[in-house]
Amino acid sequence: MSFTHQIKPVQLVIAKDIFVSAIRIAMSIDGSCLPFGDVLRTSAQEQVDYMLSKDKDTLIVMADDEVKSVVRTGVYNTINSFEKDLASLLLVPSLELGTADNNDRIMRKLSDLEWMCNVLPKMDLMKNLVSDWAAISNQILRIVEDKKLDQVMWGLKIKLIEVTCKVLEAVGYGGVILPAACRVQLLKSWFPYIRKMKPLLDSKGTEENGFPYKMDQDLCQAIEGAIVSLVLTLPSNDQADILADWIRSREIGYPDLSEAFEVWCYRTKSAKRRLVEGLDGNSDAVISA
């Protein structure tokens, strides 16, 4: 074997080692690298971004089962630790005193999940995050909608919506294929919360000058588009349930599901027409016989 044929496997081994090391730090798989944890983690995330976009060897390395296993471990660990840290908010006597470290850790985990939403599709592993997020969605909402959090941690609430937007986009636009029951559960969990939070955040922005936690136009449009697309992937009966609920609360104004409603009406009329035509055709056949 020539030297030029030998060098490629060596390069791939090196690329794999570098990528796996970067992933382990970027996802804090081995714990925080004190005292430079945040800086090192951010640098590792930037390295992963670079390798996925610029390094051709990394695209080959991504097919390796060991690499995929490391990434899946990182996703699971991040979501699992985020859920545990979030649940601990309900155990402390005050959310405004003595919990800065835990609050910072929760926000850091959410930022990590948002970063993962941007890189996992390049690895064809976004389904892992989406499935895990869907599995804990009801638990997340049970915590953040607790009365203890009514008037605090607005940054957490807006970041939850931003991460959920990425998840809804992945499912709504076909990047991740989930069973119909999972899609229904995901939408029925988050749709009411997003619908409630939009006017609440708008109101806080009006009342408090400089209130930073808002759903800007880009985020609102992204969520609305993802929800419309996701609704249209559901079975007709589930579409009808969600659209009926939306119609009952149309005075809220957001998100606007008019497009989904129009498509559902068209599909329902078309299906009914085909059914009637089919019945008429069968009746004619019976009469002819």
Side-chain angles (χ1 to χ4, degrees):
M1 182 181 293
S2 69
F3 175 76
T4 54
H5 286 137
Q6 292 175 353
I7 194 170
K8 190 64 175 179
V10 173
Q11 288 177 337
L12 290 177
V13 170
I14 294 173
K16 174 183 172 181
D17 289 344
I18 294 173
F19 187 73
V20 168
S21 296
I23 283 289
R24 298 188 74 88
I25 297 172
M27 296 184 173
S28 302
I29 292 176
D30 301 314
S32 181
C33 301
L34 297 174
F36 308 109
D38 288 350
V39 174
L40 197 57
R41 192 184 76 261
T42 300
S43 296
Q45 290 177 355
E46 291 173 353
Q47 177 66 27
V48 171
D49 291 339
Y50 173 82
M51 294 184 73
L52 286 172
S53 59
K54 303 293 184 181
D55 190 342
K56 294 180 180 179
D57 288 342
T58 303
L59 300 179
I60 300 174
V61 165
M62 274 310 307
D64 186 279
D65 288 339
E66 180 186 352
V67 174
K68 291 181 178 180
S69 177
V70 171
V71 174
R72 291 189 182 104
T73 297
V75 173
Y76 174 80
N77 287 353
T78 302
I79 288 184
N80 188 51
S81 61
F82 165 71
E83 182 185 11
K84 289 180 178 178
D85 289 339
L86 191 66
S88 70
L89 291 176
L90 301 184
L91 303 178
V92 295
S94 172
L95 290 171
E96 297 180 340
L97 297 173
T99 60
D101 289 344
N102 191 45
N103 294 352
D104 289 345
R105 190 162 55 247
I106 289 170
M107 294 304 296
R108 187 165 59 246
K109 292 296 182 184
L110 270 179
S111 294
D112 289 347
L113 288 170
E114 188 175 30
W115 169 76
M116 291 178 199
C117 286
N118 294 326
V119 299
L120 290 177
K122 300 174 185 177
M123 309 181 201
D124 292 327
L125 292 173
M126 184 63 176
K127 185 173 183 177
N128 293 88
L129 188 149
V130 169
S131 298
D132 290 345
W133 189 256
I136 68 168
S137 286
N138 287 337
Q139 171 70 353
I140 291 173
L141 291 168
R142 183 188 68 81
I143 296 166
V144 297
E145 292 191 288
D146 187 276
K147 62 181 181 180
K148 196 172 188 178
L149 276 71
D150 269 353
Q151 298 300 320
V152 296
M153 300 195 73
W154 298 105
L156 165 67
K157 293 167 184 175
I158 192 69
K159 184 61 73 174
L160 276 174
I161 292 173
E162 290 171 354
V163 172
T164 300
C165 176
K166 300 286 188 182
V167 171
L168 293 174
E169 286 181 319
V171 180
Y173 296 130
V176 172
I177 307 300
L178 292 180
C182 292
R183 281 177 275 141
V184 171
Q185 181 265 323
L186 184 65
L187 192 54
K188 287 189 174 181
S189 295
W190 287 102
F191 179 53
Y193 181 73
I194 292 170
R195 186 173 55 188
K196 179 183 76 173
M197 287 304 300
K198 174 63 167 63
L200 186 57
L201 291 169
D202 288 346
S203 176
K204 291 289 293 183
T206 301
E207 295 170 2
E208 299 181 21
N209 192 24
F211 183 75
Y213 306 115
K214 302 175 183 178
M215 292 176 61
D216 61 29
Q217 185 176 3
D218 289 343
L219 177 60
C220 288
Q221 290 179 346
I223 291 173
E224 189 168 273
I227 288 178
V228 168
S229 295
L230 182 51
V231 168
L232 294 175
T233 71
L234 302 178
S236 182
N237 288 342
D238 292 313
Q239 289 185 41
D241 289 343
I242 291 169
L243 291 170
D245 181 52
W246 167 71
I247 289 172
R248 286 192 292 268
S249 306
R250 284 189 69 181
E251 68 277 2
I252 295 176
Y254 180 86
D256 183 2
L257 301 188
S258 299
E259 180 182 349
F261 180 69
E262 291 173 3
V263 173
W264 177 81
C265 288
Y266 174 79
R267 288 176 177 175
T268 302
K269 291 176 182 177
S270 297
K272 184 176 181 180
R273 183 171 62 251
R274 289 194 299 271
L275 177 62
V276 171
E277 290 172 350
L279 292 174
D280 288 344
N282 290 336
S283 298
D284 292 342
V286 170
I287 293 173
S288 298

